[in-house]
Each structure stands twice: as structure tokens, then as C-alpha cells.
Amino acid sequence: MIAVTGATGQLGQLVINALLKTVAASEIVALVRDPAKAQALSDKGVQVRRGDYNDKAALDRALQGVEKLLLISSSEVGQRTNQHRNVIEAANAAGVQLIAYTSLLHADTSPLGLAAEHVETEKLLADSGLAYTLLRNGWYSENYLASVPAALQHGLFIGSAGEGKIASATRADYAEAAARVLTLDDQAGRVYELAGDDAWTLRDLCASLSALSGKTVAYQNLSEADFAAALMGAGLPEGFAKLLADSDAGAAKGGLFDDGHQLSALIGRPTTPLAASLKAML
């Protein structure tokens, strides 16, 4: 059986949909915090089990009989390492044969502050004795698409990424890659640096958005501190605003760029271009 943590999350749902193309629903386990919110998965025949990152006993029960596990990194920045430790220990106790973990692109050398907990989790896996695969995911195109409506409204897109190139892909691209790894043999010990085929800058994003929408959208580059302040002024919590500004600053240093094309090689097709995502959104 193949299990997926965070199965009702944005990435988790896409992974399960991808798995269902080649794996029987009865052989897929969806680990969720609240099973009541996973009726759609149950309706597809997927096994739904309670698997809260913070509840070690529940994880111990949920992972019984599981052979392969996709550990989707927790969304609770600052708590991830302990939460992931719970999952890894439960997987070890249950005899899981392989864990695939969604880490961060070039986590071991990344300038992004987000990398720290991913590096800690990678070490937990290395020390666990379990067979594991690292899916070092680059940026989701959706991370920036969320800002498009406001950019169109004001004719301005702000950030602190400078001319840093961002090799993004869609969540669906990354989900397909995860499903592929979970269904392939001989994946233990592999480290995948996953990123989109085509890299772009925020200025490029604005040019594409302008061309597709017919409305001029300019890019304004700010310092990391000023960008964080602007995000807080727009109502974002301080911690989240600083995280986004740090990620942009990391992009300016090359932290979100990779041209190895491992993602497209894994999924057997080109990754989804930014322009296609923008067009679909518009």
C-alpha cells in the first residue's frame, strides 16, 4: 500500500489523483488530520485514516500495512522538524519500506530561510535507517499567481527577487512526479532536484501578464525589509510576510533556479510554462 500525508491539502489531493491513474484506490491510504473532511477521497475508494503530524499514536495506527509513504512537508513553519520526526518514527515502527519526502530545491545549499527545517528533516531520514527518496521541490508557480489579481488591479507587482531566475512548475507537475516515484522500483537513496524547464524573473512575469491581459503591469523591486513591510501593510501576518520576503531575497541569490530538467524527465513531458498557467488563470 502507498500512503500520502496531508492528503486533503493542495498538493496531497493532486498526488492521490495522479496515483489513481495507475494504482487501485484500495491500495492508496490518505492520511488526514480530520477524516470528516476527506469524504471525496473515500468516495473514490481510497482508504482514509487519521494521521495528524502532532499525534504520534494516531500515526502509529495509520501506517500499519503501508509499504511506501509520501511525507508531504507540514505547512506549519517552525514546527515542521518535530512533526516530521513523529511521522518518520511511526513509519519506522510500522515497517514502512520507503519514504519519499518533499524537501526544498537544493536544500543543503539554499539561501532561503525555509531550507533549515528541510535540512533537519533530511538528516532525520538519514539517521532513521529507513530507505528514503528526496523530492527537492522548487517553487510552485501558484505561489506567485496568487498575487496576480492585485497586480492587475493596481498595475503593479512588487517583490524583492531582483533579476533572480525562478524555475517554477505547477503543483500538478510536482504531484505527478511524486506519484511516479512512488510507483517506480529502486528509488531508495535518490535525490531529485525538481524544477520547471523554463526559468523567469518577476519582470518576465509582469511582461507575460501584460501581454495576456492587455493591461500594463510593472514590476517594482523593493528591499527585503520594504517588501515585508508592504506585505504587512496589506494585512499579512508578520511571520508570513517576512517568510515571503526572505524567499524572494533567496530567489535573487539563485535559490529558486535549476536547469537540470529532472522534473520533466521524471514525468515524461515538459513542465507547465508560466504563460500557460497565467492564461488559464485569466
Side-chain angles (χ1 to χ4, degrees), residues 130-147:
L130 286 163
Y132 65 92
T133 306
L134 299 180
L135 304 175
R136 288 179 168 170
N137 288 353
W139 228 229
Y140 302 140
S141 298
E142 290 87 345
N143 291 351
Y144 284 110
L145 294 180
S147 300

Side-chain angles (χ1 to χ4, degrees), residues 159-166 201-203 219-222 248-249 251-252:
S160 56
E163 297 303 315
K165 291 186 176 182
I166 300 162
T201 66
L202 291 184
R203 207 173 302 280
Y219 174 60
Q220 182 178 0
N221 194 63
L222 304 174
D248 253 27

